[in-house]
Amino acid sequence: MIHMSGFRWLTPGLKLKRWLVVFGIGMLLVIVGVALMLNYQWLSYFEDLFLQVLYETTGSYNYTTLATGGFITILIGIVLMTIGTKQVGSAVVRAIIPADTDKVGDYIFQNIRMAKGPKVVVIGGGTGLSTLLRGLKTHTSNLTAIVTVADDGGSSGRLREDFQMIAPGDLRNCLVALAEKEGLMEQLFRYRFGGEGDLAGHSFGNLFLTALTQILDEDVDKALDASSKILKVRGRVIPASTQNIVLMAEMEDGSIVAGESQIPTVQKRIKRVFTEPALPQPQGAALQAIDEADAIILGPGSLYTSIMPNLLIDKIAEHIKASKAPKLYICNVMTQPGETDGFTAADHVAALQKMAGLGIVDTAIVNDVPFDDAVIEKYKAVGAEPVKVDTDKLASLGVRTVRAGLIQHPETAVHDPERLGKIVMDVIYAMQSGLEPHILEYYLKREDR
């Protein structure tokens, strides 16, 4: 069977055929010109014709004139080839480069640079994960977000119950965060219906993913791939598991709480979290991404309800610990009421090690910018406080500490995407080059000035 895709370039309306013809004529002239200059015998007909014209014009045979004619022919051919190449290239560029891109060269250079960036796997959920992805997508397009699917609140919870599917909320947030250009599509995917009808409270993005999943034979992977193409996502978004998972928590008083959305509300100290069913089956693509990663990042995000649910999936923690890639934990800047009350940075890491074992984290990235008193009082009113950085205790856990400014201004208490993305990439590149932690920390502090 003859492959016909090459003939698509000749489709009417593409405005390519004329320039391909110009290029072909130019190439032919170059060949003829070279032949004239080198006096090739196989071109005797053209040579005799040219010499006959030359003799009738000048009254003599002059090879120098013949060579000059060949040289001029080559120049004309090169000019035609250049014009044809330029026009064909422009037509192709116009077809693949976004129309609102002003600097095509910068766009192409950026894409090439990011395509060669390190393979970074980010594991978590909630707003913390999407915040980090927004910062990283400008540095590398080799991003994989492994996302928790245990959310059971709000729109996601209702869709889980109605369609017996995994929670789409965090998946949607990650898709939007990794979109090449966030704008109207972001607003559309984030749009939440108001009123008191059946759609009230639902996010359009959640409904979109649910509808795609149903259309594509309840295959969430195909739905995510299709959504990624629509949003022009840089990287991949993979659910940690496609099983319908319920997150459970055992409190220190022995009580059991079911449901990710319910765990923080009981205001009790968490002893451990687990899932029903136990050890859910992982996505093969998630394990493969971890195995091939140049860096693995946990967080930022809710420790027990966004990060740990991924580590409860069968084999995910084992693959992380077996990887030789740097394993970074981005600590929250504030404690979370009902979940990490009074936790220091070392307490966060110790909880991860207790659940998943030693080797799950080798570096903790913590905020080193103090907050304004007004911010501290604001968060104190809801039961939160700045996470204290206890470097010595982190070291005793076998974890190095990188202190850096993770927020833009002291009057805010959330990670800044751009700063976080740049710092994380600096840490990854520095660790790959073998830079000592204290030198790296000094460098990052200088960059923060």
Side-chain angles (χ1 to χ4, degrees):
M1 181 177 178
I2 300 175
H3 188 62
M4 302 295 291
S5 61
F7 290 100
R8 292 178 182 175
W9 293 99
L10 304 180
T11 302
L14 296 182
K15 297 181 179 180
L16 290 176
K17 296 188 294 296
R18 69 191 70 173
W19 302 117
L20 291 172
V21 170
V22 169
F23 179 86
I25 293 173
M27 180 179 292
L28 179 61
L29 290 176
V30 169
I31 294 172
V32 171
V34 170
L36 289 174
M37 291 184 67
L38 299 179
N39 198 20
Y40 282 166
Q41 294 302 312
W42 60 268
L43 207 63
S44 59
Y45 173 77
F46 294 101
E47 184 179 359
D48 291 343
L49 180 62
F50 187 86
L51 288 174
Q52 181 64 32
V53 173
L54 180 64
Y55 179 77
E56 292 177 357
T57 304
T58 64
S60 63
Y61 294 102
N62 189 331
Y63 178 72
T64 301
T65 305
L66 179 66
T68 302
F71 179 72
I72 293 173
T73 303
I74 291 174
L75 289 181
I76 296 173
I78 290 174
V79 169
L80 292 177
M81 289 176 65
T82 302
I83 293 173
T85 301
K86 181 180 179 181
Q87 294 299 328
V88 171
S90 297
V92 174
V93 166
R94 285 195 301 270
I96 62 176
I97 302 297
D100 56 352
T101 300
D102 296 327
K103 298 180 179 179
V104 174
D106 292 346
Y107 179 87
I108 293 174
F109 173 78
Q110 182 186 32
N111 281 349
I112 292 174
R113 177 180 62 83
M114 291 196 300
K116 295 182 178 180
K119 297 177 181 178
V120 179
V121 172
V122 185
I123 302 173
T127 57
L129 179 58
S130 55
T131 296
L132 176 59
L133 293 175
R134 280 190 176 86
L136 290 177
K137 74 177 180 182
T138 60
H139 297 275
T140 178
S141 57
N142 296 315
L143 283 170
T144 300
I146 298 177
V147 187
T148 179
V149 292
D151 186 11
D152 64 346
S155 173
S156 288
R158 291 163 60 189
L159 291 171
R160 278 188 61 173
E161 183 177 350
D162 291 343
F163 294 94
Q164 294 301 303
M165 60 178 290
I166 62 175
D170 287 344
L171 297 170
R172 177 208 72 212
N173 287 334
C174 291
L175 286 171
V176 172
L178 287 175
E180 185 172 308
K181 287 194 175 183
E182 299 176 54
L184 183 59
M185 287 302 296
E186 176 192 14
Q187 297 177 36
L188 182 61
F189 265 61
R190 290 190 183 281
Y191 177 77
R192 199 170 292 276
F193 293 92
E196 298 180 355
D198 292 338
L199 290 179
H202 274 303
S203 160
F204 172 83
N206 289 351
L207 295 175
F208 181 86
L209 279 176
T210 302
L212 264 183
T213 302
Q214 299 301 309
I215 291 171
L216 298 173
D217 301 321
E218 299 186 359
D219 191 327
V220 69
D221 292 325
K222 291 181 179 179
L224 288 171
D225 287 342
S227 301
S228 296
K229 292 176 182 177
I230 294 171
L231 293 172
K232 294 184 178 180
V233 165
R234 292 176 177 172
R236 294 184 299 168
V237 177
I238 302 174
S241 173
T242 55
Q243 286 187 252
N244 204 334
I245 300 168
V246 177
L247 184 66
M248 312 286 289
E250 180 185 357
M251 304 301 175
E252 289 192 346
D253 64 359
S255 60
I256 302 294
V257 179
E260 180 269 340
S261 62
Q262 299 302 312
I263 292 172
T265 65
V266 299
Q267 299 294 311
K268 295 180 181 180
R269 202 166 183 86
I270 300 171
K271 180 179 180 181
R272 68 183 180 100
V273 289
F274 57 99
T275 61
E276 289 187 357
L279 294 177
Q281 289 299 306
Q283 282 287 80
L287 298 180
Q288 182 179 359
I290 292 171
D291 294 340
E292 297 175 353
D294 295 317
I296 301 170
I297 303 173
L298 301 178
S302 302
L303 180 64
Y304 287 99
T305 55
S306 290
I307 299 174
M308 285 190 181
N310 294 286
L311 304 180
L312 292 170
I313 306 298
D314 188 28
K315 299 181 181 179
I316 282 188
E318 286 75 7
H319 278 250
I320 294 174
K321 291 186 291 184
S323 173
K324 295 181 180 179
K327 306 172 189 69
L328 314 178
Y329 171 62
I330 302 176
C331 190
N332 292 342
V333 297
M334 288 283 180
T335 61
Q336 185 171 355
E339 193 161 333
T340 55
D341 298 285
F343 271 40
T344 65
D347 291 333
H348 284 76
V349 172
L352 288 171
Q353 291 181 340
K354 180 180 178 181
M355 193 202 74
L358 296 177
I360 196 68
V361 173
D362 56 43
T363 303
I365 302 178
V366 298
N367 178 56
D368 197 33
V369 174
F371 301 102
D372 287 346
D373 291 339
V375 172
I376 295 177
E377 290 300 319
K378 175 184 175 182
Y379 277 83
K380 186 177 181 180
V382 295
E385 61 183 1
V387 174
K388 296 179 181 178
V389 181
D390 41 357
T391 306
D392 292 340
K393 189 174 179 181
L394 283 167
S396 69
L397 296 173
V399 175
R400 65 169 65 90
T401 306
V402 175
R403 306 167 70 108
L406 304 183
I407 60 175
Q408 184 66 45
H409 304 290
E411 63 268 18
T412 61
V414 293
H415 291 101
D416 179 77
E418 292 185 7
R419 292 175 67 85
L420 185 60
K422 182 181 183 304
I423 288 168
V424 168
M425 293 305 297
D426 284 343
V427 171
I428 292 172
Y429 285 128
M431 294 182 69
Q432 287 179 338
S433 63
L435 193 63
E436 290 296 325
H438 67 279
I439 299 176
L440 173 61
E441 183 176 336
Y442 171 73
Y443 163 74
L444 290 173
K445 285 185 176 180
R446 291 189 63 188
E447 289 291 299
D448 286 340
R449 293 178 182 175

